[in-house]
Amino acid sequence: MLGLPDHIRACLFDLDGVLTQTAKVHAAAWKAMFDDFLKAEAGRTGTAFVPFDQAAEYDRYVDGRPRLDGTRTFLRSRGIELPEGSPDDAPGTRSINGLSTAKNELVLRLIHEQGVQPYQGSVAYLDRLAAAGVPRAVVSSSANCRDVLKAAGIDGYFDTVIDGVVGKREGLPGKPAPDTYLAAARELGIEPGAAAVFEDALAGVASGRAGGFGFVVGVNRTGQADALRENGADLVVDDLYELIEGAAK
């Protein structure tokens, strides 16, 4: 009924792009922030401005990672080294913290302006899991996770939330490391081999595989089915409703 192997006893979900239609908002915020920075860098160094690729570079360097890690990873790919700075750095300061704060302010503004919509197929799947009594967790690198869940009206579906706030407090490495997913499994009292991970990000799929989880479902929202499989997805679907229909491929 749930489209999962018989040994699965719990389900662990990423947030953006799996449960809520916020991945596109995050991608747009990253692009706006990085393009502003890259234009300024081009002027400062006298080099050509090469804009942030909202598809390829977002998927490869940013998607699914904690905000500071995403900033570091992308800049490193461009050969740019910045000081870490401080969490108190003003948005746009030429530091990892300053750029990351600017991105967060942009995404919060976009969410406020556009609202948060859940994927209806995901809500239908959560309904089936709840009816079957399957434990459920959200595992997200976002520090705004709980606010987004509440805004989308789906906060009541989950037994535990491991988000960016918990990760920072507990010193958990972010995705693609498996630590946040492992923490969620511990909270639910479930061994990793008996839990399924649901992810749309390559880093997240890789973390599910690295953690030894019993099943990894890649959610293909952006046409990267092959890359999801290459990074460790056991199954790839375009929408979670396919698992209900038995049409997963």
Side-chain angles (χ1 to χ4, degrees), residues 72-233:
R72 290 188 202 98
T73 304
F74 169 70
L75 293 178
R76 193 175 300 123
S77 77
R78 293 289 188 95
I80 300 171
E81 295 290 337
L82 294 185
E84 283 293 304
S86 160
D88 297 328
D89 284 355
T93 299
R94 195 175 178 277
S95 68
I96 298 298
N97 274 277
L99 296 184
S100 300
T101 299
K103 182 269 171 181
N104 192 50
E105 289 201 349
L106 284 167
V107 82
L108 290 175
R109 188 185 75 202
L110 290 171
I111 288 172
H112 176 74
E113 292 172 354
Q114 301 175 13
V116 178
Q117 296 298 320
Y119 287 102
Q120 291 307 309
S122 298
V123 174
Y125 194 68
L126 290 170
D127 282 332
R128 296 294 183 96
L129 292 175
V134 178
R136 303 162 304 281
V138 173
V139 181
S140 171
S141 61
S142 174
N144 306 311
C145 177
R146 291 180 184 273
D147 291 336
V148 171
L149 287 171
K150 185 174 182 179
I154 58 174
D155 51 317
Y157 280 102
F158 302 100
D159 302 291
T160 192
V161 174
I162 304 296
D163 60 7
V165 175
V166 175
K168 182 177 181 180
R169 184 180 70 227
E170 302 296 330
L172 301 174
K175 306 169 188 178
D179 300 63
T180 50
Y181 275 113
L182 292 171
R186 286 195 300 271
E187 286 290 317
L188 295 178
I190 299 290
E191 291 296 319
V197 167
F198 296 76
E199 268 283 357
D200 72 313
L202 302 183
V205 166
S207 71
R209 177 58 54 231
F213 287 89
F215 203 63
V216 180
V217 179
V219 185
N220 180 37
R221 304 290 191 192
T222 59
Q224 56 177 355
D226 289 343
L228 289 166
R229 293 188 185 95
E230 289 167 5
N231 279 269

